Amino acid sequence: MDLGLKGKKAIICASSRGLGKGCAQALAEAGCDIVLNGRNETVLEETRSQLQNLYGVSVAAIAADVSTREGQEALLTACPNPDILVNNNGGPPRRDYSELDREALLEGVVQNFVTPIELIQAVVPGMKERGFGRIVNITSLSVKMPIEGLDLSSGARAGLTAFLAGVCRQLAPHGVTVNNLLPGKMDTDRLKGGFERAAQQSGKSLEDVRAAQAAEIPARRFGSAEEFGQTCAFLCSRHAGYITGQNILMDGGLYPAAF
Ligand SMILES: NC(=O)c1ccc[n+]([C@@H]2O[C@H](COP(=O)([O-])OP(=O)(O)OC[C@H]3O[C@@H](n4cnc5c(N)ncnc54)[C@H](OP(=O)(O)O)[C@@H]3O)[C@@H](O)[C@H]2O)c1
């Protein structure tokens, strides 16, 4: 399917690895010129040259913390008029709610609520002017289904979801859509970190922890960054102009609900 994205410009935050990279790869494959981001310069450069060689589109790389003003400015300088913004970030580490002091709480809110909103505020005027814009926010299954130790991440992302539920209706007349992609258990470095922690705590092998977690998912497997990225690219495509304000779960059926 031609996604109608050839020559479009996309900023994909936190995209040197994992789900962000999956989105960047799918958008580059669809013909977008992309701006990648991550803090580790070596990994970022590897991804930049990999995607440049594979797809021949323009691939810029901004090594910066996307939660900082400087990081955001650097991204917007590299791509002042993006047609597509994929909001992504690391997210706060797993921690019991009772251990979160004020500083930690504010940091989580800045990462998963303030940062995506600031970037949306920056890119929307140009999108409205051009009559086309696609914003995809990577949130989490934990917005719908609590996960122990991820309360801050869930709360900040649920706040973002509610905030944008109103905003997306304001942007709809201008051809700008805003949607959220909710990963369940996707096979990335982040998930592997979780397996290692669980293996240490339980004394089980990594393989056993992995197999037990996969068995709990109706699809009996973890999701891949590639399939996640392709879904993101579809939401950015010309075919998805009538989809806005949606929360799309990618969890292999893990969240047990009819709606
Ligand atoms: N994987 C899952 O199953 C899952 C499930 C639910 C929600 N999520 C959420 O989805 C998002 C992506 O997860 P993932 O699994 O793809 O993680 P990942 O494999 O750990 O990759 C994270 C990516 O973000 C970059 N990054 C992290 N913090 C950054 C920052 N402050 N500024 C710029 N870049 C930053 C990392 O590069 P550097 O480290 O070099 O900066 C890396 O490229 C996270 O918010 C995560 O909480 C993931």
Side-chain angles (χ1 to χ4, degrees):
M1 187 187 350
D2 177 7
L3 297 180
L5 290 176
K6 273 196 186 69
K8 297 279 189 214
K9 297 179 180 63
I11 296 177
I12 307 102
C13 304
S15 51
S16 56
R17 293 181 284 118
L19 303 180
K21 180 179 174 186
C23 296
Q25 177 151 3
L27 289 169
E29 187 185 4
C32 293
D33 293 327
I34 60 171
V35 177
L36 299 170
N37 164 238
R39 292 161 303 176
N40 181 311
E41 287 185 28
T42 313
V43 177
L44 184 64
E45 176 48 29
E46 273 170 25
T47 301
R48 195 201 65 74
S49 69
Q50 185 197 0
L51 297 190
Q52 175 94 74
N53 292 338
L54 275 173
Y55 302 111
V57 293
S58 153
V59 184
I62 300 298
D65 181 343
V66 68
S67 303
T68 62
R69 284 244 175 247
E70 306 77 63
Q72 294 180 16
E73 273 161 24
L75 283 167
L76 293 164
T77 303
C79 183
N81 293 307
D83 305 293
I84 294 166
L85 169 68
V86 180
N87 272 314
N88 186 30
N89 204 338
R94 189 178 282 258
R95 232 160 121 192
D96 190 85
Y97 84 96
S98 60
E99 293 166 8
L100 296 166
D101 59 20
R102 189 185 184 96
E103 199 185 336
L105 285 167
L106 290 177
E107 199 180 320
V109 170
V110 167
Q111 283 180 332
N112 292 143
F113 179 81
V114 176
T115 299
I117 293 171
E118 284 176 339
L119 283 167
I120 289 171
Q121 288 170 332
V123 303
V124 152
M127 290 179 173
K128 279 167 74 174
E129 231 174 82
R130 293 186 297 279
F132 180 93
R134 298 284 187 264
I135 296 166
V136 176
N137 307 293
I138 301 181
T139 64
S140 176
L141 164 67
S142 73
V143 167
K144 290 172 83 85
M145 189 172 90
I147 300 177
E148 208 181 309
L150 291 183
D151 312 286
L152 175 54
S153 159
S154 313
R157 294 178 207 260
L160 176 70
T161 306
F163 188 104
L164 295 176
V167 173
C168 74
R169 268 92 194 168
Q170 276 178 249
L171 302 184
H174 305 282
V176 179
T177 67
V178 185
N179 291 291
N180 306 311
L181 270 179
L182 284 59
K185 294 192 178 189
M186 313 297 294
D187 210 350
T188 64
D189 293 344
R190 185 174 168 96
L191 195 72
K192 284 178 196 123
F195 295 151
E196 279 158 19
R197 253 192 324 276
Q200 260 175 6
Q201 282 164 5
S202 65
K204 291 184 183 150
S205 72
L206 261 182
E207 293 68 37
D208 285 352
V209 168
R210 211 183 144 86
Q213 291 203 19
E216 287 170 9
I217 303 169
R220 303 284 182 264
R221 67 173 178 89
F222 304 109
S224 74
E226 289 73 23
E227 59 195 340
F228 189 88
Q230 293 295 340
T231 307
C232 173
F234 176 75
L235 285 176
C236 295
S237 75
R238 68 182 154 96
H239 311 296
Y242 208 51
I243 302 176
T244 198
Q246 297 305 301
N247 290 285
I248 297 168
L249 263 177
M250 291 194 69
D251 70 346
L254 184 59
Y255 180 68
F259 301 99

